[in-house]
């Protein structure tokens, strides 16, 4: 039975844990009791999902996506609250949403700068290859380009 459950729910649980930053308890609830919280903990430990989650949370593109999902959740909560009690406005929720949007924009600009830098340096590399440079000079330029790429990671 565990083999069928693992094949049916493992990847979804992994995605929820790694990409959506859900806890084992939240995942068990989302899977509507088909997989226990303890099973999710075991899968996470065995599959080293914590390392995957940490790597994903250090990638600006993944952080921006996670923030978008968080923002969507905040908006849904705000809409549900407004339907229950339209006269109550929680300024803290609006502030959190605003800060999330600003962070997403900063992350996207950072990613755009990296993409632009890569494109420009790629063109520069092509330009250098077209010149009649001494082999040592070309190696020096390519070494500096690699250093630059490491500095913007």
């Amino acid at each position: 039975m565990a083999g069928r459950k693992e094949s049916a729910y493992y990847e979804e649980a992994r995605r929820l844990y790694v990409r959506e930053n859900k806890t084992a308890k939240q995942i068990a609830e989302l899977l509507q009791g088909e997989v226990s919280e303890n099973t999710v903990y075991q899968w996470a430990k065995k599959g080293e999902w914590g390392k995957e989650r940490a790597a994903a949370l250090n990638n600006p593109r993944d952080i921006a996506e996670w923030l978008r999902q968080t923002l969507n959740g905040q908006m849904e909560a705000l809409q549900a609250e407004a339907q229950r009690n339209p006269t109550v406005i929680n300024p803290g929720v609006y502030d959190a949403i605003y800060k999330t949007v600003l962070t997403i924009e900063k992350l996207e600009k950072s990613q755009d700068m990296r993409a632009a830098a890569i494109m420009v340096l790629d063109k520069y590399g092509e330009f250098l290859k077209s010149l009649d440079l001494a082999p040592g000079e070309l190696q020096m330029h390519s070494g500096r380009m690699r250093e630059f790429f490491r500095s913007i990671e």
Side-chain angles (χ1 to χ4, degrees):
M1 180 75 173
R4 278 188 272 148
K5 275 192 179 179
E6 185 165 346
S7 66
Y9 299 104
Y10 183 89
E11 283 305 317
E12 178 65 7
R14 182 180 158 276
R15 183 189 66 75
L16 291 166
Y17 189 92
V18 173
R19 296 288 175 202
E20 295 190 23
N21 205 28
K22 302 287 186 197
T23 65
K25 182 177 181 178
Q26 290 170 323
I27 294 168
E29 290 170 1
L30 287 168
L31 296 176
Q32 300 173 339
E34 292 294 327
V35 177
S36 72
E37 181 179 345
N38 189 43
T39 298
V40 175
Y41 277 123
Q42 291 173 1
W43 288 349
K45 184 177 179 182
K46 182 180 174 185
E48 296 183 337
W49 294 355
K51 288 181 182 179
E52 285 184 64
R53 177 190 277 174
L57 291 175
N58 285 322
N59 179 336
R61 192 169 287 153
D62 290 336
I63 293 169
E65 182 57 32
W66 180 78
L67 287 171
R68 272 194 195 87
Q69 290 170 1
T70 300
L71 180 62
N72 287 338
Q74 290 171 344
M75 291 300 293
E76 288 171 9
L78 187 61
Q79 289 169 344
E81 181 63 29
Q83 286 178 352
R84 283 192 301 272
N85 189 354
T87 61
V88 175
I89 297 174
N90 183 342
V93 174
Y94 287 109
D95 185 55
I97 291 170
Y98 175 72
K99 288 177 181 174
T100 304
V101 169
L102 288 178
T103 303
I104 290 170
E105 288 173 358
K106 286 180 185 176
L107 287 167
E108 288 174 337
K109 285 179 183 173
S110 170
Q111 198 63 30
D112 289 344
M113 277 183 35
R114 287 189 179 110
I118 290 168
M119 187 176 72
V120 167
L121 286 178
D122 184 50
K123 294 290 183 189
Y124 181 66
E126 290 174 17
F127 168 74
L128 288 175
K129 288 177 186 175
S130 71
L131 300 176
D132 190 22
L133 298 175
E137 194 174 355
L138 189 57
Q139 286 177 332
M140 179 193 71
H141 284 289
S142 66
R144 289 200 174 128
M145 287 169 63
R146 281 191 300 276
E147 287 174 27
F148 176 76
F149 283 126
R150 279 192 293 267
S151 75
I152 63 171
E153 287 180 348

